Amino acid sequence: VRAVLNWEGVFLDPIGAMLGIVILNLILATGRGGLHPALQMLMRLGLGAAVGGVAAFLLIFVMSRYLVSGRLDAVVTLMFAIAAFGVADVLLSEAGLFATTILGFILANQRIVSFTRMKGIGEIVEVLIIGSLFITLGALVSVDQLISYAVPILLLVAFLVLIIRPLAAGISLIHTKTTSRERAMVGLVDPRGIVAAS
């Protein structure tokens, strides 16, 4: 159960963020005019994938040639992620998230360089980003808005936690070796991923 929930939490963050960016781009693109909104979104996705792929190739090359000392591996990796985000976003707005997601996906699935020694930096960066995210999100909501939308928010959360999540978890785990108690546990843990929570 721990492995399923851990994988789900890690997997949902980039998917949720990318889905949010895609939907935002489709909404904003209708007001921009010019190309069809879906084509604009595909351009951002393509550019982000290209920039992320190039950044991943360069980082793997640098790490495989031992051009960076072991103590600086985490800093250089973070620098590549920020640079990929910046370059893609400057070339085409909202393409940076795609670039960093593709960069991380390639690095996690390649077998040339081991990034296991950098696991500690991931937790530190994650805590900093999550803390900043919730402070920013909290600052955007006024107390009056929160009070006026309290009942719909509680109803939505109850619907997601008590109906949608157990149903989705039950369907997802049908042909697995998990027991009914394990499925119930997975179904009662909600939401998974900081993006879903936000």
Side-chain angles (χ1 to χ4, degrees):
V1 170
R2 182 177 66 179
V4 170
L5 293 174
N6 185 43
W7 180 86
E8 183 185 9
V10 170
F11 184 73
L12 283 185
D13 276 342
I15 297 296
M18 288 180 74
L19 186 61
I21 292 294
V22 165
I23 292 169
L24 177 65
N25 272 305
L26 288 174
I27 292 168
L28 293 176
T30 56
R32 287 185 194 127
L35 295 172
H36 190 275
L39 189 58
Q40 291 183 40
M41 186 268 303
L42 286 174
M43 286 173 53
R44 283 172 171 75
L45 180 60
L47 177 70
V51 171
V54 169
F57 172 78
L58 290 174
L59 181 57
I60 292 168
F61 177 81
V62 166
M63 296 296 188
S64 66
R65 299 292 188 272
Y66 299 100
L67 300 176
V68 176
S69 71
R71 290 179 19 219
L72 295 176
D73 285 353
V75 175
V76 170
T77 303
L78 185 59
M79 180 193 73
F80 268 83
I82 293 169
F85 181 89
V87 168
D89 227 47
V90 166
L91 293 175
L92 200 55
S93 64
E94 286 96 36
L97 184 63
F98 294 124
T100 53
T101 302
I102 296 299
L103 169 66
F105 180 78
I106 292 172
L107 293 180
N109 289 292
Q110 56 84 32
R111 298 289 174 257
I112 299 168
V113 178
S114 173
F115 285 90
T116 55
R117 61 186 179 272
M118 286 184 259
K119 283 188 176 177
I121 191 75
E123 283 87 24
I124 294 169
V125 171
E126 183 181 4
V127 168
L128 289 172
I129 291 173
I130 289 171
S132 304
L133 173 69
F134 278 111
I135 290 169
T136 306
L137 289 174
L140 294 174
V141 178
S142 68
V143 176
D144 293 336
Q145 288 176 325
L146 193 59
I147 292 170
S148 63
Y149 291 110
V151 173
I153 289 171
L154 291 174
L155 290 173
L156 177 63
V157 169
F159 180 70
L160 290 172
V161 171
L162 301 175
I163 296 171
I164 297 296
R165 171 62 185 189
L167 187 63
I171 291 170
S172 300
L173 297 171
I174 284 176
H175 294 294
T176 64
K177 295 179 181 178
T178 54
T179 66
S180 58
R181 291 180 69 194
E182 290 171 335
R183 290 179 197 168
M185 177 66 183
V186 172
L188 292 173
V189 176
D190 186 67
R192 299 298 298 157
I194 198 64
V195 175
S198 301

